[in-house]
Amino acid sequence: MAVLSILTYPDPRLHTVAKPVQAVDARIRGLIADMLETMYDANGIGLAATQVDVHERLVVIDVSEERNEPLVLINPEIVWASEEKQVGDEGCLSVPGIYDGVERSRSIKVRALDGEGQAREISAEGILAVCIQHEMDHLMGKVFVEYLSPLKRNRIKTKMLKARRDPERV
């Protein structure tokens, strides 16, 4: 297992649309292990393969208090989303230190393969529903700041570029 480098906004690779995983094999299982280690190391609750510059439809999540209930979603697709929405503050490992309100469906149903390649359907609400929607956006090449106003997005972009140039001053 290894801690992978996480791309930071506004890296253009974050806008790459992920391709479906063709087979759940040793390579994918190794990537899952590395992504989980990376997510836990960064103190995150979700990580999409796109964020580690692997453009395949793979997401790892763990919203448990003890950080011991990893959820793996391979080729996920939302098959149902509630019309009822909620706005909550979101953050992102690719946009460190930035949090802002994003509107998401309150509950969803998602179909995906697990880490063993078994098909499953998951009903989610609350933080898990938000996290799944957030990570699935990454697979479509979308970062949460794109839900914000152009003004906020440009301020965040400027701050992130400044931090990349001079990490001591931010």
Side-chain angles (χ1 to χ4, degrees), residues 1-55:
M1 292 196 325
V3 173
L4 306 171
S5 293
I6 298 173
L7 300 177
T8 55
Y9 182 80
D11 192 308
R13 293 172 290 180
L14 288 169
H15 299 295
T16 305
V17 176
K19 304 270 188 272
V21 170
Q22 296 303 312
V24 181
D25 54 16
R27 180 184 69 83
I28 291 295
R29 284 190 286 277
L31 178 58
I32 291 167
D34 289 347
M35 285 176 61
L36 284 167
E37 185 172 344
T38 302
M39 178 187 71
Y40 290 131
D41 182 69
N43 205 25
I45 61 170
L47 186 67
T50 301
Q51 293 175 271
V52 294
D53 204 20
V54 176
H55 303 286

Side-chain angles (χ1 to χ4, degrees), residues 37-158:
E37 185 172 344
T38 302
M39 178 187 71
Y40 290 131
D41 182 69
N43 205 25
I45 61 170
L47 186 67
T50 301
Q51 293 175 271
V52 294
D53 204 20
V54 176
H55 303 286
E56 293 181 78
R57 294 185 57 77
L58 168 61
V59 166
V60 297
I61 293 172
D62 190 342
V63 296
S64 68
E65 288 289 323
E66 297 79 27
R67 316 289 289 137
N68 63 354
E69 296 175 28
L71 175 63
V72 174
L73 302 174
I74 299 170
N75 299 333
E77 57 181 306
I78 293 175
V79 294
W80 176 84
S82 67
E83 288 182 23
E84 187 181 354
K85 307 285 187 193
Q86 65 184 17
V87 175
D89 265 2
E90 289 187 26
C92 181
L93 294 177
S94 291
V95 194
I98 304 295
Y99 299 88
D100 212 318
V102 176
E103 183 178 78
R104 303 271 187 195
S105 291
R106 185 174 292 281
S107 50
I108 60 169
K109 202 172 279 183
V110 65
R111 188 176 300 136
L113 300 178
D114 65 16
E116 302 302 315
Q118 300 300 310
R120 57 190 299 195
E121 200 169 274
I122 298 163
S123 294
E125 54 187 29
I127 188 74
L128 180 57
V130 168
C131 191
I132 290 171
Q133 292 171 84
H134 176 109
E135 299 308 331
M136 285 182 66
D137 276 353
H138 279 298
L139 301 179
M140 298 306 298
K142 189 169 187 175
V143 180
F144 90 97
V145 297
E146 292 169 50
Y147 287 100
L148 307 178
S149 71
L151 178 64
K152 279 187 177 180
R153 198 169 43 251
N154 284 332
R155 283 183 179 160
I156 292 167
K157 187 178 200 173
T158 301

